[in-house]
Amino acid sequence: MTTSSVIADECTIAATRDAGWQRDAEWARRLAWVSLAAVLVEGGIGLWQGLAVGSVALTGWALGGVSEALASAMVVWRFSGARTFDPNAERRAQRGVAVSFWLTAPYVAAESLRELMGERHAGASLIGIALTASGLLLMPILGRANRRLGLRLDSEATEAEGIQNYLCAAQAAGVLVGLAATASWSGGWWIDPAVGLGIAGVAAWQGVRAWRGHDCGC
């Protein structure tokens, strides 16, 4: 690449980073902090309750908070300091978010299969039901905001964080159904590990999509 091409590229990047873009970048960073705080609280309480009642779906959902926290941290990193205007930082953040999808999938899949084969019955958890219900309400709001900001910023990392939020809400819905079934129907023991398998599969696939970025036609 010639010197003139480099200068032209830098001018193009600078021109697109107007005041509106910078405001959106600031909002993306703030929302990432909000998401980070929310998933850490949900994850801590969910892990406590999931282990207490033996629910692999609730435990898996709680551990998924680790990957969501990493996704949020990557967006904070992406839009902090000089990296805000560095196009290379976007690709690194995107890859980091992709890895976040893969962190818990193997554990949740293995535990779900073990629960299904062993026909282990999870206990009821009213706290878990309330927690997943709150996640079902909050996460779509964060997801929609992150997706819209990601589109305006042309930031796949921010869009992927929005997908993480939506995935968390979908998982919360599944776990909520499983917990409610466990509490009201003794024959519904298999719903909990089945939801866990679904969580693992979706997380692994979204990791592939986030890693490939716009080049993925899937």
Side-chain angles (χ1 to χ4, degrees):
M1 182 178 291
T2 63
T3 303
S4 59
S5 297
V6 172
I7 294 174
D9 287 343
E10 290 178 349
C11 290
T12 300
I13 292 171
T16 59
R17 297 328 189 228
D18 58 14
W21 189 94
Q22 293 182 46
R23 284 194 298 271
D24 287 340
E26 176 65 22
W27 271 111
R29 185 168 67 250
R30 290 176 180 176
L31 276 179
W33 278 117
V34 172
S35 296
L36 181 60
V39 298
L40 287 178
V41 172
E42 288 181 349
I45 299 175
L47 186 60
W48 161 50
Q49 281 296 293
L51 293 175
V53 302
S55 169
V56 65
L58 182 56
T59 301
W61 179 71
L63 288 175
V66 175
S67 60
E68 287 185 75
L70 177 57
S72 298
M74 291 306 301
V75 173
V76 171
W77 175 85
R78 163 68 179 92
F79 292 110
S80 295
R83 287 184 298 273
T84 302
F85 305 100
D86 182 3
N88 294 323
E90 172 61 31
R91 185 58 177 168
R92 290 194 293 270
Q94 176 192 335
R95 289 289 176 87
V97 173
V99 171
S100 76
F101 280 104
W102 294 327
L103 284 179
T104 59
Y107 169 81
V108 175
E111 283 297 300
S112 297
L113 289 172
R114 186 174 68 85
E115 296 289 318
L116 281 171
M117 290 185 294
E119 297 190 10
R120 181 179 174 185
H121 295 219
S125 171
L126 294 179
I127 296 177
I129 290 174
L131 184 66
T132 50
S134 67
L136 183 58
L137 294 174
L138 174 63
M139 287 303 160
I141 297 173
L142 291 174
R144 183 170 181 269
N146 278 317
R147 292 278 288 175
R148 292 178 65 180
L149 283 170
L151 288 171
R152 292 205 297 265
L153 293 165
D154 193 25
S155 170
E156 292 183 39
T158 306
E159 288 186 63
E161 186 192 12
I163 294 174
Q164 277 276 26
N165 296 139
Y166 283 134
L167 181 58
C168 178
Q171 292 170 348
V175 174
L176 181 59
V177 170
L179 291 173
T182 298
S184 60
W185 176 36
S186 60
W189 64 268
W190 56 271
I191 297 177
D192 185 81
V195 169
L197 279 176
I199 290 172
V202 172
W205 179 239
Q206 289 297 337
V208 172
R209 295 190 64 188
W211 186 271
R212 293 178 181 177
H214 288 316
D215 294 331
C216 177
C218 48

